[in-house]
Amino acid sequence: MNRVLIQPFERFLQQQGYHRIAGVDEAGRGALAGPVVASAVVLPFNCSIPGLTDSKQLTPKQRDDLFIEIEKSAVAVSVGCVGNEEIDRVNILQATLIAMSEAIERISPLPDFVLVDGTQLPPISVRAHAIPKGDCLYQSIAAASIIAKVKRDRFMIELGKVYPHYGFQRHKGYGTRQHRQAISKVGVCPIHRRSFKLQ
């Protein structure tokens, strides 16, 4: 069953003549290592992808299956990424907004309206609306949350091969007990966010 609702606001936007409505979300904001990744997804009108919801409510297998369905169904999918050094330079909030901006700008042609998960909008020229918990309410935002999460997880799994002491394949850079113990034991590596409390 599809647990994500198409809210009246989205239908209102369609009635107002907006034809390319993108949902935007991020993954990795709270991690101690690796990039923050954002995705923008434009779904066709009346699209229905069963099981689509906030990526955090799904298992890895469910996310992988939905990732395939989203890429098949979407009008457009794009990704923006900001690495740990830039995160340390500008702070995680600004880095997240930059990643979102990149994702939006990479859709061609640009969306004519953007629905962003959260409370703050990225610096974009397109009309947009920030929606707290939007990944639980709008299909396009939920789809973006899944794309961002799967893309980032896959990247962190590859980084786990480069830096095998930290267990990135398991925790994807988040602050688990195992991750913090590894940092205490072997120190930080080049993908750790030095501006975060790592121990």
Side-chain angles (χ1 to χ4, degrees):
M1 180 179 178
N2 194 336
R3 290 172 285 173
V4 176
L5 304 176
I6 299 177
Q7 295 295 295
F9 179 61
E10 191 169 22
R11 288 195 291 270
F12 171 77
L13 291 174
Q14 295 171 2
Q15 292 167 1
Q16 295 302 303
Y18 292 102
H19 301 294
R20 290 173 60 84
I21 302 170
V24 179
D25 202 359
E26 54 76 26
R29 183 169 175 171
L32 304 182
V36 60
V37 175
S39 176
V41 176
V42 178
L43 294 175
F45 288 170
N46 301 318
C47 178
S48 179
I49 301 176
L52 191 60
T53 191
D54 170 21
S55 64
K56 295 185 289 297
Q57 299 182 29
L58 301 168
T59 66
K61 173 69 164 57
Q62 289 172 326
R63 285 195 294 265
D64 286 342
D65 290 345
L66 284 165
F67 180 93
I68 294 169
E69 291 303 315
I70 293 163
E71 291 210 317
K72 284 181 183 177
S73 302
V75 173
V77 175
S78 64
V79 172
C81 181
V82 174
N84 57 291
E85 292 184 355
E86 183 75 355
I87 290 169
D88 287 339
R89 190 179 71 82
V90 301
N91 76 49
I92 185 60
L93 172 59
Q94 294 306 314
T96 299
L97 297 176
I98 291 168
M100 288 180 168
S101 296
E102 288 181 0
I104 294 163
E105 290 166 1
R106 286 176 180 161
I107 293 180
S108 181
L110 281 173
D112 47 23
F113 205 98
V114 176
L115 302 173
V116 179
D117 183 63
T119 60
Q120 299 198 44
L121 293 174
I124 54 174
S125 58
V126 183
R127 292 197 67 182
H129 188 66
I131 304 163
K133 301 187 185 300
D135 49 6
C136 296
L137 300 172
Y138 293 87
Q139 286 202 107
S140 58
I141 299 178
S145 78
I146 291 166
I147 296 292
K149 174 66 173 167
V150 172
K151 290 276 191 182
R152 186 181 185 278
D153 281 359
R154 291 176 179 177
F155 183 62
M156 293 304 296
I157 289 169
E158 291 304 309
L159 287 176
K161 300 173 185 177
V162 180
Y163 305 105
H165 301 297
Y166 301 95
F168 291 134
Q169 294 95 330
R170 290 182 290 278
H171 53 65
K172 314 304 187 296
Y174 286 89
T176 64
R177 181 179 180 184
Q178 177 204 16
H179 188 186
R180 293 183 187 277
Q181 286 176 339
I183 294 170
S184 296
K185 183 177 180 180
V186 300
V188 298
C189 74
I191 66 164
H192 278 107
R193 302 174 183 177
R194 309 301 178 95
S195 57
F196 281 45
K197 185 178 181 180
L198 299 178
Q199 295 183 35

